[in-house]
Amino acid sequence: FMLPGVALAAGAGGIDGGATAWLLTSTALVLFMTLPGLALFYGGLVRARNILSVLMQCFTIACVTSVLWYFVGYSLAFGDGGSLNAWHGGLGKAFLAGVGVDSVSGAVPETLFFMFQMTFAIITPALIVGAFVERMKFSAMLWFVAVWSVLVYAPITHWVWGGGWLADMGVRDFAGGIVVHASSGVSALVAALVIGRRTGFPKSMHPPHSPGLCMIGAAMLWVGWFGFNAGSALAADASAAMAMTVTHISAAVAALTWMAIEMVRYGKPTLVGIVTGMVAGLATITPASGFVGPFGALILGLLAGIVCFVATNLIKNRLHIDDSLDVFAIHGVGGIMGSLLVSVLALPALGGLGLADGIGMGQQLSVQLIGLASVIAWSIVVSYIALKALDKMIGLRVDQEEETEGLDLVT
């Protein structure tokens, strides 16, 4: 049984009605990840006097990056850059020039593809917020996000997904382990180092003011991530179904692994710990979600729980880097690990869907390393320059009195 309107839509203008319906749903799910998912997850982790500032930052980032994506971001990421297409997409589609109601991208309306990719452009810089909560000026945050979105996110997206030089090399990143998590993770680490530690860190640390709020936000992230990963199939097909399945398995295994480590190490689990493990599992499976099977998801979830837990403690307790909400340890480390292990876990012998014809595991691993190294280097350099320039022009940090009082009252 099929509704008449759906039957017509499936055959009109090369548009597939089922794929369009699924991508419409996925677009809403990915936006749901940021607003309200990430906003509440981050908001529950800070002190009560800073929750409104975090919510404001996430909401404003969604608005700013949406406008920038319409102005130039989409064109730089997915347009045709001519002779420079290996590096950027040019400005041919700025302000959606040439994109009309009948424009098609694959089997879906191009306006829908534009919207789906916009939600990725929204959440990626929003992730970085977790590195500098409770101490960065709102104005500095706005300028940094704007610069980062145009000069870091858009070009990297083109390199990997828009037909750029990394795509030509055969880099595999199904839903954003490199484009989203590696880029935002290393940029967050740079921001934490440039802006500096919160007052009293690491001797005087304030616990999350609302673990319950944190869990609610994390649960929204879990649900929204199905749109993130399964939606990246750009079709309502078996690939999307497998991506959804492995996403869920990895998240559950990582959460249980993190909980088990806490029980062994501290004698009891924590709510913040188990949901953090879940997010680590989601970040780690993201680049591999379209290439691995359930067994691969189990392995990635197990490693995410262990490796990201170790990274969190190393960065904060050993290196004393104040990446406040563990953006690099969770998203950066998880995204990098998943991007590398896709070279192994995609093999049919391990239940994966296989590599490209004629490509061996070693060759794919080399390509993944080149892709990661390039994206990480570009993210670090541009982020550092942008932060240093903003510090000179308007300053990055609120003063100590304002930090103590809380950003809800001063920004």
Side-chain angles (χ1 to χ4, degrees), residues 318-343:
R318 296 287 184 85
L319 301 179
H320 294 163
I321 298 173
D322 191 11
D323 178 0
S324 308
L325 307 184
D326 305 311
V327 183
F328 176 72
I330 303 301
H331 297 278
V333 171
I336 291 168
M337 182 166 57
S339 298
L340 293 175
L341 289 177
V342 69
S343 308

Side-chain angles (χ1 to χ4, degrees), residues 254-269 274:
L256 291 174
T257 301
W258 196 293
M259 181 186 75
I261 293 173
E262 285 192 330
M263 291 177 70
V264 171
R265 184 164 181 173
Y266 306 124
K268 64 176 183 178
I274 193 171

Side-chain angles (χ1 to χ4, degrees), residues 213-264:
L213 196 65
C214 176
M215 179 269 168
I216 292 171
M220 293 174 177
L221 284 172
W222 195 342
V223 174
W225 222 289
F226 293 138
F228 200 82
N229 287 359
S232 292
L234 302 180
D237 59 10
S239 177
M242 180 60 80
M244 179 177 284
T245 299
V246 298
T247 297
H248 191 76
I249 291 172
S250 179
V253 171
L256 291 174
T257 301
W258 196 293
M259 181 186 75
I261 293 173
E262 285 192 330
M263 291 177 70
V264 171

Side-chain angles (χ1 to χ4, degrees), residues 58-69:
C58 289
F59 198 94
T60 307
I61 286 172
C63 298
V64 170
T65 52
S66 296
V67 174
L68 287 174
W69 192 247

